[in-house]
Amino acid sequence: MTSDILVVGTISPETRAAVTGVVKGLEKAFNEKDPVALGEQYAENASWTNAKGTRLDGRKAIVEFGAPVLKSFLRDSFARYDVVKMLAITPDVIAVNVVQTPTDSTGGPADGPWGATLYVIAEQTDGWRIVAGQNMAVAPPTQTV
């Protein structure tokens, strides 16, 4: 929900929708185990560091790394990606904080790893794309009664 997103700076509704669309495109590609669609969310020269600390430079490297990983140890992992904050760096560069919540294959709650991700998403000639990012495994939020 865009109403639950902390927005810092001036970000137009169109830019908010485009940036959220990139994150949701990444979520869909991850859940469908589609490395090509996943790679399409990144700029050609993107820099991405995964939760294990492996840095991948460029869309091609991201796709090549993701293909076997999505089909092997991540094949039964699914997640919901929720944008929680957008920070305007410039009108065409937005820093985005995302919470990754484990789900089952239908999107229902599931046990599994949680993630906190920072993406830098910028408008490119071919649309909005992730230009840099880092994922970090985090403990699930504590439940309050």
Side-chain angles (χ1 to χ4, degrees), residues 7 14 38 40 56 62 80 95 97 109-110 115 120:
V7 176
E14 297 80 14
L38 187 128
E40 289 171 354
L56 304 165
I62 293 166
R80 184 180 70 243
N97 293 101
V120 178

mmCIF file of all heavy atoms in Angstrom, residues 7 14 38 40 56 62 80 95 97 109-110 115 120:
data_model
loop_
_atom_site.group_PDB
_atom_site.id
_atom_site.type_symbol
_atom_site.label_atom_id
_atom_site.label_comp_id
_atom_site.label_asym_id
_atom_site.label_seq_id
_atom_site.Cartn_x
_atom_site.Cartn_y
_atom_site.Cartn_z
ATOM 1 N N VAL A 7 7.585 8.667 2.754
ATOM 2 C CA VAL A 7 8.168 9.357 1.607
ATOM 3 C C VAL A 7 8.921 10.579 2.121
ATOM 4 O O VAL A 7 8.349 11.426 2.806
ATOM 5 C CB VAL A 7 7.082 9.773 0.588
ATOM 6 C CG1 VAL A 7 7.692 10.572 -0.559
ATOM 7 C CG2 VAL A 7 6.341 8.549 0.070
ATOM 8 N N GLU A 14 3.364 9.518 -9.962
ATOM 9 C CA GLU A 14 3.802 8.699 -11.098
ATOM 10 C C GLU A 14 5.133 8.017 -10.802
ATOM 11 O O GLU A 14 5.327 6.843 -11.130
ATOM 12 C CB GLU A 14 3.913 9.553 -12.371
ATOM 13 C CG GLU A 14 2.613 10.154 -12.850
ATOM 14 C CD GLU A 14 2.191 11.421 -12.104
ATOM 15 O OE1 GLU A 14 2.995 12.020 -11.369
ATOM 16 O OE2 GLU A 14 1.007 11.802 -12.256
ATOM 17 N N LEU A 38 13.812 -11.225 -13.679
ATOM 18 C CA LEU A 38 14.488 -10.627 -12.535
ATOM 19 C C LEU A 38 15.552 -9.643 -13.031
ATOM 20 O O LEU A 38 15.604 -8.493 -12.591
ATOM 21 C CB LEU A 38 15.115 -11.726 -11.677
ATOM 22 C CG LEU A 38 15.719 -11.253 -10.367
ATOM 23 C CD1 LEU A 38 15.178 -12.091 -9.224
ATOM 24 C CD2 LEU A 38 17.218 -11.359 -10.417
ATOM 25 N N GLU A 40 15.700 -8.051 -15.776
ATOM 26 C CA GLU A 40 15.120 -6.897 -16.466
ATOM 27 C C GLU A 40 14.798 -5.748 -15.525
ATOM 28 O O GLU A 40 14.624 -4.615 -15.967
ATOM 29 C CB GLU A 40 13.869 -7.319 -17.230
ATOM 30 C CG GLU A 40 14.178 -8.175 -18.432
ATOM 31 C CD GLU A 40 12.952 -8.777 -19.087
ATOM 32 O OE1 GLU A 40 11.829 -8.621 -18.548
ATOM 33 O OE2 GLU A 40 13.119 -9.407 -20.140
ATOM 34 N N LEU A 56 27.538 -8.497 -7.461
ATOM 35 C CA LEU A 56 27.382 -8.810 -8.881
ATOM 36 C C LEU A 56 27.317 -7.496 -9.629
ATOM 37 O O LEU A 56 26.547 -6.609 -9.273
ATOM 38 C CB LEU A 56 26.097 -9.619 -9.104
ATOM 39 C CG LEU A 56 26.011 -10.914 -8.287
ATOM 40 C CD1 LEU A 56 24.592 -11.441 -8.285
ATOM 41 C CD2 LEU A 56 26.983 -11.932 -8.820
ATOM 42 N N ILE A 62 24.031 -10.650 -12.932
ATOM 43 C CA ILE A 62 22.901 -10.894 -12.030
ATOM 44 C C ILE A 62 22.059 -12.049 -12.553
ATOM 45 O O ILE A 62 21.687 -12.950 -11.802
ATOM 46 C CB ILE A 62 22.074 -9.601 -11.851
ATOM 47 C CG1 ILE A 62 22.915 -8.556 -11.097
ATOM 48 C CG2 ILE A 62 20.757 -9.884 -11.142
ATOM 49 C CD1 ILE A 62 22.372 -7.147 -11.148
ATOM 50 N N ARG A 80 7.120 -11.789 -0.203
ATOM 51 C CA ARG A 80 6.399 -10.564 -0.551
ATOM 52 C C ARG A 80 7.378 -9.413 -0.311
ATOM 53 O O ARG A 80 8.078 -9.389 0.705
ATOM 54 C CB ARG A 80 5.162 -10.404 0.339
ATOM 55 C CG ARG A 80 4.321 -9.186 -0.046
ATOM 56 C CD ARG A 80 3.084 -9.034 0.836
ATOM 57 N NE ARG A 80 3.481 -8.636 2.180
ATOM 58 C CZ ARG A 80 3.279 -9.355 3.281
ATOM 59 N NH1 ARG A 80 2.679 -10.530 3.208
ATOM 60 N NH2 ARG A 80 3.680 -8.919 4.458
ATOM 61 N N ALA A 95 16.020 6.296 -3.498
ATOM 62 C CA ALA A 95 16.469 5.213 -2.617
ATOM 63 C C ALA A 95 15.213 4.580 -2.022
ATOM 64 O O ALA A 95 14.294 5.287 -1.596
ATOM 65 C CB ALA A 95 17.369 5.749 -1.518
ATOM 66 N N ASN A 97 13.676 1.515 0.565
ATOM 67 C CA ASN A 97 13.809 0.458 1.562
ATOM 68 C C ASN A 97 12.654 -0.519 1.391
ATOM 69 O O ASN A 97 11.497 -0.106 1.291
ATOM 70 C CB ASN A 97 13.776 1.025 2.984
ATOM 71 C CG ASN A 97 14.981 1.868 3.291
ATOM 72 O OD1 ASN A 97 14.894 3.088 3.259
ATOM 73 N ND2 ASN A 97 16.099 1.237 3.583
ATOM 74 N N PRO A 109 1.271 -16.633 4.585
ATOM 75 C CA PRO A 109 2.375 -16.596 5.550
ATOM 76 C C PRO A 109 3.142 -17.918 5.587
ATOM 77 O O PRO A 109 2.551 -18.985 5.432
ATOM 78 C CB PRO A 109 1.677 -16.351 6.895
ATOM 79 C CG PRO A 109 0.312 -15.876 6.556
ATOM 80 C CD PRO A 109 -0.024 -16.407 5.203
ATOM 81 N N ALA A 110 4.446 -17.818 5.794
ATOM 82 C CA ALA A 110 5.293 -19.012 5.858
ATOM 83 C C ALA A 110 6.518 -18.718 6.704
ATOM 84 O O ALA A 110 6.913 -17.557 6.869
ATOM 85 C CB ALA A 110 5.727 -19.444 4.462
ATOM 86 N N GLY A 115 14.129 -10.460 4.886
ATOM 87 C CA GLY A 115 15.173 -9.631 4.315
ATOM 88 C C GLY A 115 14.856 -8.155 4.430
ATOM 89 O O GLY A 115 13.692 -7.758 4.503
ATOM 90 N N VAL A 120 18.626 1.442 -5.028
ATOM 91 C CA VAL A 120 18.664 2.760 -5.644
ATOM 92 C C VAL A 120 18.078 2.545 -7.030
ATOM 93 O O VAL A 120 18.622 1.786 -7.840
ATOM 94 C CB VAL A 120 20.094 3.326 -5.715
ATOM 95 C CG1 VAL A 120 20.085 4.688 -6.415
ATOM 96 C CG2 VAL A 120 20.694 3.437 -4.319
#
